[in-house]
Amino acid sequence: MKVTALEEYGLRCMILLAKSNHSMTLPEISAREGLSLPYAGKLLMILKQAGLVKAVRGRRGGYVLSKPPHEISLTEIFAALGEPVFGPTHCERYSGDGDCCVHTEDCTVRDVWGAFNEFVSGYLDRVNLAELANGRKELKISSVEKPEEHKSITPENNILNS
Amino acid sequence: MKVTALEEYGLRCMILLAKSNHSMTLPEISAREGLSLPYAGKLLMILKQAGLVKAVRGRRGGYVLSKPPHEISLTEIFAALGEPVFGPTHCERYSGDGDCCVHTEDCTVRDVWGAFNEFVSGYLDRVNLAELANGRKELKISSVEKPEEHKSITPENNILNS
DNA sequence: CAAAATCATTACAAAAATGTAAAGAATAAT
DNA sequence: ATTATTCTTTACATTTTTGTAATGATTTTG
C-alpha cells in the first residue's frame, strides 16, 4: 500500500493554495514546495483537468482553487490524482498469467479489498481541505501520540465482525 | 494510493495456504494462483524471510504457514510485503528537489498521513487470516452493498473531529 | 549412491511510474 | 503592437517496480 508521488505532491499543492489568499503562479508554487517548475506544471494541470483548480494565463495570472476549501474533500483530491485502493481495474490489473484472474467468483481477496476500500473512503469523505489547511492539532495528538484512545475502530463496530 | 503487486499476490498465497490442510509446493501454488513458477518462488521467499511461512526442500517438501491462520493479522502480512501507507521513509522519499522536505516542521501533510495510517492500521490489526480464508459473507454484504450502515466512522467518533 | 523433486539465489529483461526539456500559446501591461 | 509573463503541450530521459531466466543447493526415495 503506497502513496504515489502524484498524490503526495498534489495534495501539498492543494493545501498550499488553500492557505493562500491570492492566486499563485507556477514559479511560486514550485519554490514553496521544492518542486521543479515543469513538474509543478504537470501537477497543476492534472488538478485543473479534474476541476479542482482554475488557471489564468498571462501577467497577473496563476492558479486558484475552483471551490472554497471546506467544499473539497480528500476523496475528490485523491480521485483526481490516482486510482482508489480497490477500483474497477483491480481484477484485470492483477490477473496473473492469464487475461482474467483465476478467482472468477467467490473471491476472498476481492472481498477484502472491497471492504477495506469502503472503510478508507468513509474516512476520506469526511475530511475536507479547510481542515487540513488550518493544521488541526488534534489530528496529531489524538491519532499518532495516543493510539489507544481511538474510538473509530473497536471489536464492536468493526465491520468485519458485524 | 495503490496496492502493490507483491501485496496482492502475496496475500493470495497466504490465503491459499490457510485454506489448505497439507503443505503446498511451488508448482501447486503457481498453478492455483495463475502465477509463473519463478514469480511464485520469489513471493514465497519474501514470505519466508518474514517468518510467515516455513519451507521444506526435497521430495514431499513445500510451504506451510508458520503459525495458525487466526494468529496472523493482515498487518503482519502487509508488513512483510511492503511499506505502510505512511512509514519512516516517507518524508525522505518525497523530499522534492532537495535532500530534505521543505516542510521541516509543523507539516500538515505529515499529520494527515500519520492519522490516516493509524486509522488503517487499526483496521488491519483486527483482521486475521483465518477470517479471510473462511470467506466471510458479511464482509461483502455489510461493507460493499450497504455502505450506509457503516458505524465505523461517524462524525461523532471520527478522530479528525475529536 | 543416484535420481527426481523441490526450494534458493543471482542476474537480467520488461513495464510502469516519475521527473525533465523544450518549444508553443494566451494574456496583460506598457 | 510589442514584450514580459504565465500557463499548455508534447516528447523524452530516468528510476522503480514487476516479472523472467538460468543455475545452484538440499532432501527424499529407491
Side-chain angles (χ1 to χ4, degrees), chain A:
Chain A
M1 215 113 54
K2 200 184 135 197
V3 174
T4 68
L6 250 45
E7 287 166 341
E8 169 76 19
Y9 294 127
L11 175 59
R12 288 193 202 170
C13 290
M14 288 297 286
I15 293 174
L16 183 62
L17 286 177
K19 284 179 174 170
S20 169
N21 14 26
H22 50 71
S23 83
M24 297 190 76
T25 68
L26 282 180
E28 282 174 324
I29 294 171
S30 76
R32 287 288 296 275
E33 290 300 329
L35 305 171
S36 76
L37 202 134
Y39 190 54
K42 179 185 254 183
L43 268 177
L44 270 292
M45 192 51 49
I46 292 171
L47 294 171
K48 185 200 162 192
Q49 286 177 350
L52 290 172
V53 302
K54 286 182 294 191
V56 173
R57 287 210 260 204
R59 270 190 178 170
R60 316 296 277 282
Y63 292 94
V64 287
L65 296 180
S66 56
K67 289 190 291 189
H70 71 269
E71 291 182 16
I72 303 177
S73 68
L74 275 186
T75 299
E76 280 182 88
I77 297 174
F78 288 146
L81 296 165
E83 293 203 356
V85 174
F86 177 77
T89 69
H90 190 95
C91 295
E92 184 186 351
R93 176 179 201 130
Y94 297 123
S95 65
D97 278 348
D99 281 355
C100 68
C101 176
V102 295
H103 303 286
T104 48
E105 56 185 81
D106 204 29
C107 171
T108 315
V109 181
R110 190 170 50 209
D111 292 348
V112 179
W113 291 131
F116 182 71
N117 188 52
E118 286 292 328
F119 185 75
V120 165
S121 296
Y123 183 97
L124 299 179
D125 277 342
R126 288 174 172 77
V127 183
N128 67 59
L129 190 54
E131 290 170 322
L132 302 185
N134 292 341
R136 305 168 59 101
K137 287 299 176 193
E138 310 95 288
L139 194 75
K140 196 176 183 182
I141 294 169
S142 72
S143 68
V144 174
E145 304 190 331
K146 296 184 185 176
E148 72 279 8
E149 288 188 5
H150 287 180
K151 296 292 195 304
S152 314
I153 319 158
T154 65
E156 293 78 46
N157 68 9
N158 180 351
I159 59 174
L160 287 179
N161 292 332
S162 67

Side-chain angles (χ1 to χ4, degrees), chain A residues 1-3 7-9 12 33-34 90 94 96-97 103 108 113 118 127 132 136 139 143 152 160, chain B residues 1-3 7-9 12 33-34 90 94 96-97 103 106 108 113 118 127 132 136 139 143 152 160:
Chain A
M1 215 113 54
K2 200 184 135 197
V3 174
E7 287 166 341
E8 169 76 19
Y9 294 127
R12 288 193 202 170
E33 290 300 329
H90 190 95
Y94 297 123
D97 278 348
H103 303 286
T108 315
W113 291 131
E118 286 292 328
V127 183
L132 302 185
R136 305 168 59 101
L139 194 75
S143 68
S152 314
L160 287 179
Chain B
M1 213 117 52
K2 199 183 133 197
V3 174
E7 286 167 341
E8 170 74 20
Y9 294 127
R12 288 193 202 171
E33 290 299 329
H90 189 94
Y94 297 124
D97 278 347
H103 303 286
D106 202 29
T108 316
W113 291 131
E118 285 292 328
V127 183
L132 302 186
R136 305 167 59 99
L139 195 75
S143 68
S152 315
L160 287 181

Side-chain angles (χ1 to χ4, degrees), chain B residues 108-119:
Chain B
T108 316
V109 181
R110 190 170 51 209
D111 292 349
V112 179
W113 291 131
F116 182 71
N117 187 53
E118 285 292 328
F119 185 75

Side-chain angles (χ1 to χ4, degrees), chain B residues 37-90:
Chain B
L37 203 133
Y39 190 55
K42 179 184 254 185
L43 267 177
L44 271 291
M45 190 51 48
I46 291 171
L47 294 170
K48 185 198 162 195
Q49 287 177 350
L52 289 172
V53 303
K54 285 183 294 193
V56 173
R57 286 209 260 203
R59 271 190 176 170
R60 314 298 275 284
Y63 291 94
V64 287
L65 296 180
S66 55
K67 289 189 292 189
H70 70 269
E71 292 182 16
I72 303 176
S73 67
L74 274 187
T75 299
E76 279 181 88
I77 297 174
F78 289 146
L81 297 165
E83 293 203 356
V85 175
F86 177 76
T89 69
H90 189 94

